[in-house]
Amino acid sequence: MDVVSLAEKFDRIEEYWSPAIVGELNGQHVKLAKLRGEFDWHHHAVDELFLVIDGDLTIKFRDEPDAALSAGEFLVVPAGVDHRPVAEDEVRVLLFEPAGTRNTGNVESERTVESPDRL
């Protein structure tokens, strides 16, 4: 059992939109990511939790109103829902999702991370 310092782990992340695994439990990964700009439209076959640690994040949806999140707020994006995270300035997020969930979901792009780093 190790205590994890989110600040220390975030300091080790160098690239935007490149999630890193910082914990595992019950077949789930706890990931951290720094976000800035607009991400690709995509969806996942599983639910995905976004917890904003620092900054302001907008999650855009094709068929639903956008969701605006600030530090200390989270949103669960249900499986199969097209979404696109947008961060005007740097945002630090914690993601909680089943192990093996690809960051770009059903889309393959230059931002796809097949094997996230473990910090």
Side-chain angles (χ1 to χ4, degrees):
M1 292 184 286
D2 296 320
V3 173
V4 175
S5 166
L6 296 180
E8 184 271 325
K9 299 296 185 186
F10 274 119
D11 285 345
R12 294 177 55 192
I13 297 173
E14 296 178 6
E15 293 182 42
Y16 291 122
W17 305 108
S18 187
I21 299 167
V22 295
E24 276 187 73
L25 67 153
N26 302 317
Q28 303 282 312
H29 278 165
V30 179
K31 298 177 183 175
L32 299 181
K34 291 180 183 176
L35 315 179
R36 186 170 189 166
E38 296 183 352
F39 199 59
D40 305 327
W41 281 104
H42 66 285
H43 67 264
H44 301 278
V46 296
D47 297 342
E48 179 181 34
L49 180 142
F50 289 83
L51 169 61
V52 176
I53 303 300
D54 187 43
D56 295 304
L57 178 66
T58 300
I59 309 266
K60 295 188 173 280
F61 299 100
R62 292 190 194 274
D63 302 320
E64 300 288 333
D66 297 346
L69 298 112
S70 296
E73 297 180 322
F74 76 86
L75 174 74
V76 175
V77 177
V81 174
D82 279 339
H83 62 285
R84 177 176 71 168
V86 176
E88 288 188 29
D89 297 309
E90 182 176 283
V91 176
R92 294 175 176 210
V93 297
L94 181 147
L95 304 165
F96 188 69
E97 55 199 12
T101 301
R102 192 167 72 171
N103 66 326
T104 55
N106 65 316
V107 173
E108 181 88 24
S109 79
E110 67 278 353
R111 290 182 165 162
T112 300
V113 177
E114 294 291 347
S115 300
D117 290 338
R118 291 179 181 269
L119 300 180

